[in-house]
Amino acid sequence: MAYVIDQSRCINCSWCRRECPTDTIHYFDQEVRKHKIDPQYCIDCDICARVCPMDCISHEPAVVPDAQSLAAGKMRARAWARDRRQLKLGIRAYAESQVLKIARNGS
Ligand code: SF4
Ligand code: SF4
């Protein structure tokens, strides 16, 4: 199963593309500049559908990625999760250093 975009309602805000953990939503690779999901790497996480302000992404049971592509999609998602964790840790370390600096300087 995979997700599909109803392009007639898509406003090209890119929210789905930015949040997709497998980087499988594309924009510029079509004749018409509209967002499209490459079903091969879709892991059915539902993130794109949740962030879409137009509610135009839905689950399509008839579209089924092959096992190899699905495994590749899951590997992409694991790398995405690792990167997000690193980013979060980096932001946290920076915030802590700023708090300590302010506490030391008293302002
Ligand atoms: S369901 Fe998940 S993996 Fe599939 S296109 Fe949406 S965000 Fe990407
Ligand atoms: S989040 Fe929805 S409206 Fe925005 S680009 Fe994706 S499909 Fe289109």
Side-chain angles (χ1 to χ4, degrees):
M1 290 174 278
Y3 279 63
V4 293
I5 294 173
D6 176 355
Q7 293 182 332
S8 66
R9 291 162 53 208
C10 174
I11 58 170
N12 292 317
C13 67
S14 290
W15 286 11
C16 58
R17 186 165 54 85
R18 293 200 180 109
E19 293 303 320
C20 176
T22 64
D23 196 23
T24 199
I25 301 177
H26 306 292
Y27 179 32
F28 289 110
D29 63 346
Q30 300 172 88
E31 283 176 24
V32 182
R33 289 187 172 184
K34 283 282 183 181
H35 282 73
K36 186 181 180 204
I37 294 171
D38 174 1
Q40 293 304 325
Y41 300 110
C42 180
I43 59 168
D44 284 344
C45 68
D46 199 46
I47 292 174
C48 55
R50 285 169 191 250
V51 299
C52 177
M54 299 304 289
D55 200 21
C56 64
I57 305 178
S58 59
H59 199 227
E60 178 48 70
V63 183
V64 183
D66 63 81
Q68 201 176 353
S69 299
L70 195 56
K74 287 179 180 175
M75 278 184 68
R76 287 184 182 195
R78 275 195 286 275
W80 174 89
R82 198 171 46 240
D83 288 350
R84 289 262 166 138
R85 209 162 36 240
Q86 293 296 329
L87 181 66
K88 210 167 157 186
L89 287 173
I91 291 170
R92 193 181 193 167
Y94 174 74
E96 282 173 2
S97 72
Q98 290 305 303
V99 169
L100 285 173
K101 199 167 143 190
I102 291 167
R104 265 199 310 270
N105 297 339
S107 62

